[in-house]
């Protein structure tokens, strides 16, 4: 199966739903009501949850694919600091 955006975020060291942003004028094929209910149950305010439910997963995958893994970048920074010391 394909990894979910949340699983991709966890693998790259980001917090859950890090890439879940409001995309203006985006059309989302997933069930808006079900996703809104899930987000409200997760603690999101209802208005924001509805906007976020409209976020297409494709945008989230693209954002995650264009990012750098946090643990790797942290390791690189430590190695550079050691080399310069």
């Amino acid at each position: 199966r394909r990894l979910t955006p949340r699983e991709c975020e966890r693998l790259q060291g980001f917090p859950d739903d890090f890439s879940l942003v409001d995309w203006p004028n985006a059309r989302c094929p997933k069930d808006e009501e079900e996703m809104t209910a899930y987000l409200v149950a997760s603690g999101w305010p209802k208005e924001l949850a509805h906007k976020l439910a409209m976020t297409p997963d494709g945008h989230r995958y693209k954002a995650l694919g264009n990012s750098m893994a946090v643990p790797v970048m942290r390791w690189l920074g430590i190695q550079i600091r050691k080399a310069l010391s």
Side-chain angles (χ1 to χ4, degrees):
R1 72 173 175 83
R2 186 178 194 172
L3 292 174
T4 65
R6 181 176 281 180
E7 290 169 331
C8 293
E9 291 166 341
R10 288 176 179 176
L11 286 170
Q12 288 190 259
F14 293 110
D16 286 354
D17 300 325
F18 182 76
S19 63
L20 189 60
V21 297
D22 184 14
W23 294 88
N25 303 321
R27 295 283 179 198
C28 186
K30 62 189 168 194
D31 184 13
E32 296 170 32
E33 291 178 16
E34 181 182 338
M35 189 63 178
T36 300
Y38 167 77
L39 291 169
V40 169
S42 298
W44 291 88
K46 189 172 183 172
E47 286 184 20
L48 180 59
H50 179 69
K51 287 181 181 180
L52 296 178
M54 298 290 292
T55 304
D57 284 347
H59 290 318
R60 296 179 71 187
Y61 286 118
K62 185 175 182 178
L64 291 165
N66 288 333
S67 63
M68 298 181 185
V70 175
V72 173
M73 297 312 297
R74 184 177 295 122
W75 181 85
L76 283 172
I78 291 169
Q79 298 308 311
I80 291 170
R81 184 181 296 157
K82 285 181 183 177
L84 294 176
S85 300

